[in-house]
Amino acid sequence: MAKVYWASRDLSSFVWGNHQFLLVFLGKNESMQKIKTQEESGTRFVTIAGHQPNGNLVYVPNEPSDVASVKETLNKKLKGNFYDYDLEKHLLTAPNGNAWSFALELEALAEKYVVNTTTSPVKYSLTNRNCSTWVNTMLKIAGVSASARLTAGEFSGIDWGEEDLLDESLFK
């Protein structure tokens, strides 16, 4: 049975900062529409995130560092060193009561973001147009309450923008 988390991991270049993303654990017969399922120690999952290649905020499913952070949590033999992508995660309650359909909705919102930013990319900003604001906006559109987002978006380390929102039309 699917579970959706607002997750965070260490940044590889700045130990006190973090990167935030969505983590979806999938049940045995569940899969996403477009994102390839990852697996570690018998657990199936995907990651959904906004990243900043070339100065723009772009959607990257299963970005290697996000996947590594999940894998090292599931398999302690993979644990790295000081900059080892330590994972934190906060379970989200699906607004519609079904975590798998919630995960599929989040994937669809991310795909709409790709379409809507192809010709007009969003410039990445550390303080207000970043991975945290990307996740927060998607969760708002998907129906997660402001209070639930406020609680779920708090992680160790420095994170900016987890309470800010992007223009919602980017995901519609």
Side-chain angles (χ1 to χ4, degrees), residues 67-140:
V67 170
S69 72
V70 178
K71 286 186 173 191
E72 78 166 15
T73 298
L74 295 172
N75 182 347
K76 301 303 181 199
K77 292 178 184 174
L78 300 176
K79 195 78 173 150
N81 55 32
F82 195 57
Y83 294 105
D84 64 354
Y85 306 124
D86 290 330
L87 177 74
E88 289 182 64
K89 62 187 186 323
H90 301 142
L91 182 64
L92 297 165
T93 300
N96 62 6
N98 183 310
W100 184 26
S101 67
F102 177 44
L104 292 172
E105 180 181 3
L106 293 169
E107 179 186 36
L109 291 171
E111 291 294 331
K112 289 175 186 173
Y113 179 85
V114 171
V115 170
N116 292 329
T117 59
T118 299
T119 57
S120 299
V122 174
K123 294 292 180 199
Y124 176 87
S125 166
L126 180 62
T127 57
N128 64 4
R129 287 185 312 274
N130 58 31
C131 57
S132 303
T133 56
W134 193 88
V135 169
N136 190 36
T137 306
M138 283 187 35
L139 293 175
K140 179 183 183 206

